[in-house]
Amino acid sequence: MEPQQRSPLLEVKGNVELKRPLAKAASRLPLSGRRLKRGPDQMEEALEPEKKRTRGLGTRVTTTHPRAAALSSAPQTQGQTAVPKAPRKPAPRCSTAVAPVLKTQKPGPVVPVQKPGTTAAPPMVGGKKPKRPAWDLKGQLCDLNAELKCYRERKQVLDQENQQLRDQLQEAQQQALALGAERKTLEEELTRVRAQAEQGQRELGNLSARVLELEERLGTQEGLVQELQKEQLRLQEERRGLAARLGEQERRLQTSEASLSDSQEEVASLRQEAAAREAILAEREDRLHGLEMERRRLHNQLQELKGNIRVFCRVRPVLPGESTPSPGFLQFPSGPCGPSDPPTRLSLSRSDERRGTLSGAPAGPTRHEFSFDRVFPPGSGQDEVFEEISMLVQSALDGYPVCIFAYGQTGSGKTFTMEGGPGGDPQMEGLIPRALRHLFSVAQELSGQGWTYSFVASYVEIYNETVRDLLATGTRKGQGGECEIRRAGPGSEELTVTNARYVPVSCEREVEALLHLARQNRAVARTAQNERSSRSHSVFQLQISGEHASRGLQCAAPLSLVDLAGSERLDPGLALGPGERERLRETQAINSSLSTLGLVIMALSNKESHVPYRNSKLTYLLQNSLGGSAKMLMFVNISPLEENVSESLNSLRFASKVNQCVIGTAQANKK
């Protein structure tokens, strides 16, 4: 059994210098033949005295004998020499203890090995090898070969021991490094423990001072405790009082909670009722919307029954300073229902001195009868006139194009009918301010049904076939040549006037300001028929846009209110002297545009394929308000004076032709 190998280092407890180089051990000599014959156990017992002496120094040395088993097991023959293994290199601290053991081991004699077939060497005498005779060269050669073999084996054994010592040295160095790291860790731990001990001493001192301080405070606190005990008694009394109050509050809280529960039930009931009312309200809104749509439909039917082209005749009163007409000159026969029925007929008497009877006596006056949709005698006020057309203005808000224009000779009251009289008297307001006030009011009412409306106003005049902006201000005044009638966009049917102002309006004061500015810019002149005559057609247009967002409904339509220029013939104006050529040219342009207006209405009535809108700037601008999808109303204004009977007859005849025209059914502009 091979003995257990032990480490050649000494396990030392304490501070050991491991980084010092290890001392080189002396070479181990071969053991004697007597010691080689011992077994591993006997060799271990022979080394026990050296181990015991080493332990006496406080260290531990472990010696390994790697070749012990080999030596014991190898056969011991005569002539063979066994070289024992040298001990491993010991640590520096134990070198002095191991050295005596190694010195006591003396090498034994080397026994040469005899090869077969050679002469046996002579036996040794006195422990020395006998010298061969000089002639025995072969024997000497055998001795030398045996000695050489012995030295080679010894060298091989020493090389193995040297390699083992190097391995042991490397292992020892690694252990030294580990022990050095452990020593460093222990030193750091010792430093930390010392620092903790010092800190503990300081904390102990602080705690001692703190104890003294707390003892002083304890005395103070004891006094406070007594006071607090007294305060506690008082608070207990107060607590009992608060507990009684708390009980009372809890009872009241329970009552309030019961009341709250009742209120919540009532709120839930009210919410259900509100939801039911909301449902009813939504149903009524739907019904109201349906009724509004039905109203618009019936309203449109009513207007269609009255005619999409209607003609009203209005006779102005006699002004101060004018001669009173003879009785019977103008008569207003009653309607079919008697005097209570609004008049619709007009009878005008005319005497012609150029006519006579066969007997030579002058012929009697000739009466001319005319029938219109409504006739307003001289005593009719502005409110009565507007009441008759308010339904037509309502159609514009419903999405139908509406055009109202005043026609008649100069001085017949056209401008008064459309714009009203000066002075700001509410009773004298014309159709334009009244119509806008009505639209604003109705739009406000319809806002409760979900409708929202916007209004954009423009005011232009057509003077000598030139469009001028009556709302121009500053340097833009008088630049009428820059205004042209154009389509709003490619493929659009809407017409617009370039370089003209389009002003959003939302109240009556804004409209009044626009009318005042237009009066200042309009072209007027003195003629033989009137001292201040309008020499142009004024066109007030209001673009109305409505939307019902929740139902996705939209409507848009223009409302055109036109004050036409005076329609008198050329002969009465020739009495004036120089400068009348300009007036004559104005009159020709006015009569030409009025004739074109009559031709357009006739073409629409006859359903002709071509309607001459472009023959006049007036008809071209009013194109969308004159067609089959529009509603049209013409006021024919006449003078009550007998001296103007000729112009009055011309106006009444033109109005009668227009009244006989019938345009197709109007359609609302809805999306």
Side-chain angles (χ1 to χ4, degrees):
M1 181 177 181
E2 186 178 355
Q4 183 180 2
Q5 294 183 0
R6 294 187 178 91
S7 174
L9 293 177
L10 300 177
E11 297 179 359
V12 181
K13 293 184 179 180
N15 296 329
V16 181
E17 297 180 0
L18 297 176
K19 295 184 179 180
R20 188 169 56 185
L22 298 173
K24 186 174 182 182
S27 301
R28 179 178 294 181
L29 297 177
L31 298 176
S32 60
R34 181 178 58 86
R35 301 184 71 177
L36 286 172
K37 294 178 181 179
R38 298 176 183 177
D41 298 335
Q42 295 174 353
M43 293 178 68
E44 187 71 16
E45 292 175 359
L47 292 176
E48 278 299 318
E50 285 81 2
K51 292 181 181 180
K52 292 179 180 179
R53 287 195 298 271
T54 305
R55 292 192 189 99
L57 296 176
T59 60
R60 180 183 176 184
V61 179
T62 305
T63 306
T64 60
H65 305 278
R67 293 184 58 84
L71 292 175
S72 61
S73 60
Q76 300 295 330
T77 59
Q78 187 178 3
Q80 291 181 346
T81 305
V83 181
K85 181 181 178 182
R88 293 185 181 181
K89 190 175 181 180
R93 294 289 298 271
C94 63
S95 61
T96 56
V98 181
V101 179
L102 297 177
K103 289 179 180 180
T104 58
Q105 298 178 1
K106 294 181 181 181
V110 178
V111 180
V113 179
Q114 184 178 2
K115 294 183 178 181
T118 60
T119 306
M124 296 179 61
V125 180
K128 294 183 180 180
K129 184 178 180 181
K131 187 176 181 181
R132 291 181 183 274
W135 54 264
D136 193 3
L137 295 176
K138 187 175 181 180
Q140 291 178 3
L141 181 60
C142 290
D143 293 341
L144 290 175
N145 288 332
E147 186 177 0
L148 178 60
K149 181 178 181 182
C150 180
Y151 279 118
R152 285 178 177 173
E153 292 177 354
R154 184 178 179 183
K155 177 180 177 297
Q156 183 178 4
V157 171
L158 291 176
D159 289 340
Q160 293 178 357
E161 291 180 354
N162 188 20
Q163 183 63 33
Q164 291 178 358
L165 289 174
R166 286 181 180 178
D167 296 340
Q168 293 175 2
L169 175 61
Q170 184 177 2
E171 182 180 358
Q173 287 178 351
Q174 293 177 356
Q175 292 180 0
L177 292 175
L179 291 174
E182 183 178 0
R183 174 196 170 201
K184 185 176 181 180
T185 304
L186 292 174
E187 287 178 353
E188 292 177 355
E189 183 69 19
L190 178 60
T191 303
R192 185 178 62 81
V193 170
R194 286 177 179 175
Q196 290 180 354
E198 292 177 359
Q199 184 179 0
Q201 290 293 336
R202 290 193 298 270
E203 291 180 355
L204 180 60
N206 294 335
L207 290 175
S208 299
R210 180 65 175 169
V211 167
L212 295 176
E213 181 183 356
L214 291 176
E215 287 178 352
E216 294 178 359
R217 293 180 60 184
L218 180 60
T220 305
Q221 294 296 330
E222 288 177 352
L224 293 175
V225 167
Q226 294 179 358
E227 294 179 0
L228 290 175
Q229 288 177 351
K230 296 179 181 179
E231 182 69 17
Q232 182 182 8
L233 295 176
R234 185 183 64 81
L235 292 176
Q236 287 178 354
E237 293 294 334
E238 185 176 353
R239 174 180 171 276
R240 285 191 288 270
L242 291 175
R245 292 177 57 187
L246 178 61
E248 180 64 23
Q249 294 294 335
E250 287 179 351
R251 288 191 296 271
R252 294 177 60 184
L253 177 61
Q254 292 176 358
T255 305
S256 299
E257 288 178 350
S259 178
L260 177 61
S261 177
D262 296 340
S263 299
Q264 289 177 348
E265 293 178 358
E266 185 178 357
V267 167
S269 176
L270 291 176
R271 286 179 178 175
Q272 294 177 357
E273 184 178 355
R277 290 185 178 181
E278 287 179 357
I280 295 175
L281 181 60
E283 181 182 355
R284 290 183 178 179
E285 287 180 354
D286 294 340
R287 183 180 178 185
L288 183 61
H289 177 73
L291 292 176
E292 173 64 20
M293 294 297 101
E294 182 67 14
R295 182 202 63 77
R296 294 189 180 193
R297 186 182 66 81
L298 295 177
H299 177 80
N300 182 55
Q301 287 183 358
L302 178 61
Q303 298 302 313
E304 289 177 354
L305 291 175
K306 291 183 178 180
N308 285 334
I309 296 182
R310 282 183 281 174
V311 178
F312 289 173
C313 178
R314 186 178 188 185
V315 182
R316 72 169 179 84
V318 178
L319 301 178
E322 294 180 342
S323 59
T324 304
S326 60
F329 173 67
L330 284 174
Q331 295 181 0
F332 304 93
S334 300
C337 297
S340 61
D341 194 14
T344 57
R345 293 183 299 165
L346 172 68
S347 176
L348 186 145
S349 175
R350 178 182 181 182
S351 59
D352 190 354
E353 297 178 353
R354 293 174 298 179
R355 296 176 59 194
T357 61
L358 295 176
S359 60
T366 304
R367 301 204 64 84
H368 301 273
E369 302 288 340
F370 299 94
S371 176
F372 302 103
D373 295 287
R374 178 68 188 272
V375 175
F376 295 96
S380 301
Q382 295 281 66
D383 53 349
E384 183 180 355
V385 175
F386 178 74
E387 183 180 359
E388 189 65 29
I389 70 165
S390 61
M391 301 292 288
L392 191 62
V393 174
Q394 177 69 36
S395 296
L397 205 63
D398 295 342
Y400 296 93
V402 175
C403 180
I404 301 175
F405 53 87
Y407 174 85
Q409 71 178 98
T410 299
S412 60
K414 301 184 302 299
T415 304
F416 177 80
T417 299
M418 301 303 296
E419 298 182 6
D425 186 2
Q427 298 296 328
M428 306 292 288
E429 287 181 341
L431 298 183
I432 295 177
R434 291 176 183 270
L436 268 70
R437 183 187 303 115
H438 176 75
L439 291 175
F440 294 151
S441 176
V442 176
Q444 184 66 26
E445 294 176 0
L446 292 177
S447 64
Q449 301 180 16
W451 286 93
T452 57
Y453 285 92
S454 61
F455 305 92
V456 180
S458 64
Y459 210 162
V460 299
E461 71 170 351
I462 301 174
Y463 176 75
N464 285 344
E465 289 301 303
T466 301
V467 182
R468 298 168 56 183
D469 185 12
L470 294 179
L471 303 181
T473 57
T475 58
R476 296 181 65 252
K477 286 186 177 182
Q479 298 179 357
E482 299 180 2
C483 297
E484 295 293 337
I485 304 173
R486 295 285 185 269
R487 295 285 181 182
S492 175
E493 296 295 332
E494 182 180 356
L495 296 174
T496 183
V497 179
T498 61
N499 298 325
R501 287 181 63 195
Y502 286 85
V503 184
V505 292
S506 58
C507 62
E508 300 175 21
R509 288 182 297 178
E510 296 176 354
V511 177
E512 292 175 359
L514 295 180
L515 294 178
H516 179 72
L517 179 61
R519 292 191 194 101
Q520 295 177 348
N521 294 336
R522 189 173 182 185
V524 295
R526 181 177 181 274
T527 64
Q529 299 295 330
N530 192 2
E531 188 172 344
R532 179 178 173 85
S533 174
S534 298
R535 309 308 298 160
S536 64
H537 308 298
S538 67
V539 181
F540 178 87
Q541 286 188 317
L542 184 70
Q543 186 64 36
I544 305 173
S545 299
E547 181 181 9
H548 197 297
S550 61
R551 299 184 180 275
L553 299 178
Q554 293 180 353
C555 62
L559 172 63
S560 302
L561 302 174
V562 186
D563 180 11
L564 298 175
S567 60
E568 62 271 358
R569 290 176 298 177
L570 298 178
D571 292 341
L574 296 177
L576 298 179
E580 190 59 29
R581 291 182 180 179
E582 182 67 20
R583 301 283 79 82
L584 293 178
R585 190 165 65 88
E586 293 174 356
T587 304
Q588 290 174 353
I590 293 170
N591 291 337
S592 175
S593 61
L594 293 177
S595 299
T596 303
L597 177 62
L599 292 176
V600 167
I601 295 175
M602 295 299 175
L604 291 172
S605 176
N606 297 331
K607 303 293 189 298
E608 296 180 5
S609 59
H610 174 70
V611 180
Y613 289 115
R614 292 180 178 268
N615 290 357
S616 170
K617 292 291 182 66
L618 175 65
T619 55
Y620 186 39
L621 180 60
L622 298 177
Q623 177 177 348
N624 293 333
S625 300
L626 298 177
S629 62
K631 299 180 183 299
M632 192 167 37
L633 172 63
M634 184 180 76
F635 274 97
V636 53
N637 296 82
I638 63 174
S639 170
L641 303 180
E642 294 184 24
E643 59 189 31
N644 297 328
V645 63
S646 178
E647 294 294 338
S648 298
L649 283 175
N650 289 334
S651 299
L652 292 172
R653 287 167 181 163
F654 178 79
S656 295
K657 292 181 180 180
V658 173
N659 195 31
Q660 294 173 1
C661 297
V662 178
I663 302 180
T665 303
Q667 297 179 358
N669 293 331
K670 295 181 180 180
K671 298 180 181 179

